[in-house]
């Protein structure tokens, strides 16, 4: 079982990843994965795609058919196109409603497993030290701050440790990003052989 120290740390890693990647991006990715699962919703999505392709094909045939010279054929295509579009819109409305419910469920689960869990742990373990400091290692006022608000004096409270984790993760991510950006900027741009000669000519 994970210790309280690592549990809080990994929760903040998850929160940082969600904030960095973007909640909407994660929601859309999960929706795509959900549609690939063998569910009634995925069946509707496949039917929607089929109707969309069929409607586009019928629209293309209509455009290639003269409404004056081949009116009977054009009218038949028009009726099929309108019927296909009606079916497509009906399924699209159902999928939109299901996606709204899906997004709400995902948002709720994400909040409960990250921010909600963090707040619960901070409340439940408010009197529990994350770890103890060596006796006399820091002055009294520093020890009091580190144990704020309700942890035993001489320990680090979960609230303080939570703030340390959040700050550390953000700082490390910024440093790593800056290093990669600088490295990418320092890489020389390769020039094709003979390009300079052609330019001088």
């Amino acid at each position: 079982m994970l210790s309280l120290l690592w549990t809080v740390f990994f929760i903040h890693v998850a929160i940082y990843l969600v904030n960095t990647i973007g909640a909407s991006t994660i929601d859309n990715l999960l929706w795509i994965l959900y549609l690939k699962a063998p569910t009634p919703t995925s069946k509707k999505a496949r039917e929607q795609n089929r109707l969309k392709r069929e409607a586009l094909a019928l629209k293309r045939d209509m455009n290639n058919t003269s409404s004056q010279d081949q009116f009977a054929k054009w009218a038949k295509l028009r009726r099929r196109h309108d019927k296909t579009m009606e079916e497509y819109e009906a399924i699209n409305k159902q999928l939109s409603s299901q996606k709204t419910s899906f997004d709400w469920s995902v948002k709720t689960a994400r909040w409960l497993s990250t921010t909600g869990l963090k707040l619960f742990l901070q409340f439940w373990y408010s009197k529990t030290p994350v770890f103890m400091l060596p006796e006399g290692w820091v002055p009294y006022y520093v020890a009091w701050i580190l144990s704020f608000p309700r942890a035993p004096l001489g320990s680090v409270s979960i609230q303080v440790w939570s703030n340390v984790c959040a700050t550390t993760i953000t700082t490390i991510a910024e440093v790593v990003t800056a290093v990669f950006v600088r490295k990418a900027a320092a890489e020389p741009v390769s020039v094709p052989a003979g390009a300079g000669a052609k330019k001088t000519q």
Side-chain angles (χ1 to χ4, degrees):
M1 183 177 178
L2 282 176
S3 65
L4 184 60
L5 183 149
W6 287 110
T7 300
V8 173
F9 177 80
F10 286 126
I11 288 174
H12 278 281
V13 170
I15 292 174
Y16 178 82
L17 290 175
V18 170
N19 293 335
T20 303
I21 298 172
S24 60
T25 302
I26 295 174
D27 292 348
N28 291 333
L29 178 60
L30 291 176
W31 175 250
I32 292 172
L33 294 175
Y34 178 69
L35 291 181
K36 293 184 180 298
T39 61
T41 304
S42 63
K43 186 177 180 181
K44 287 182 181 179
R46 289 192 296 270
E47 179 66 12
Q48 181 197 40
N49 290 331
R50 185 191 68 79
L51 290 171
K52 184 178 180 180
R53 291 193 299 269
E54 184 177 343
L56 290 174
L58 290 170
K59 184 69 174 178
R60 186 167 54 250
D61 291 342
M62 285 172 57
N63 292 334
N64 294 332
T65 303
S66 173
S67 59
Q68 295 178 347
D69 299 337
Q70 299 174 293
F71 179 77
K73 181 180 178 181
W74 183 88
K76 183 179 180 181
L77 290 172
R78 177 63 184 269
R79 287 193 298 270
R80 287 180 58 192
H81 176 267
D82 291 346
K83 182 181 178 182
T84 302
M85 285 302 299
E86 287 179 5
E87 295 176 0
Y88 172 81
E89 291 296 338
I91 294 180
N92 188 56
K93 187 178 294 185
Q94 294 175 10
L95 286 176
S96 297
S97 176
Q98 290 176 344
K99 188 176 187 303
T100 301
S101 300
F102 178 85
D103 288 344
W104 185 87
S105 300
V106 169
K107 284 180 173 64
T108 302
R110 182 174 57 245
W111 188 89
L112 290 175
S113 60
T114 53
T115 305
L117 180 58
K118 182 191 73 171
L119 295 176
F120 170 77
L121 291 176
Q122 288 182 353
F123 169 77
W124 191 259
Y125 292 100
S126 60
K127 295 182 179 180
T128 304
V130 176
F131 58 88
M132 299 297 298
L133 298 172
E135 187 175 353
W137 194 51
V138 293
Y140 173 81
Y141 66 91
V142 176
W144 182 85
I145 293 174
L146 293 177
S147 63
F148 183 84
R150 302 171 67 188
L153 191 65
S155 67
V156 175
S157 69
I158 188 172
Q159 283 81 3
V160 172
W161 177 245
S162 182
N163 291 331
V164 169
C165 289
T167 304
T168 302
I169 291 168
T170 303
T171 303
I172 291 175
E174 290 176 353
V175 170
V176 171
T177 302
V179 169
F180 275 105
V181 170
R182 180 174 294 183
K183 184 178 180 181
E187 289 181 356
V189 179
S190 58
V191 179
K198 290 181 180 179
K199 188 175 181 180
T200 55
Q201 291 176 359

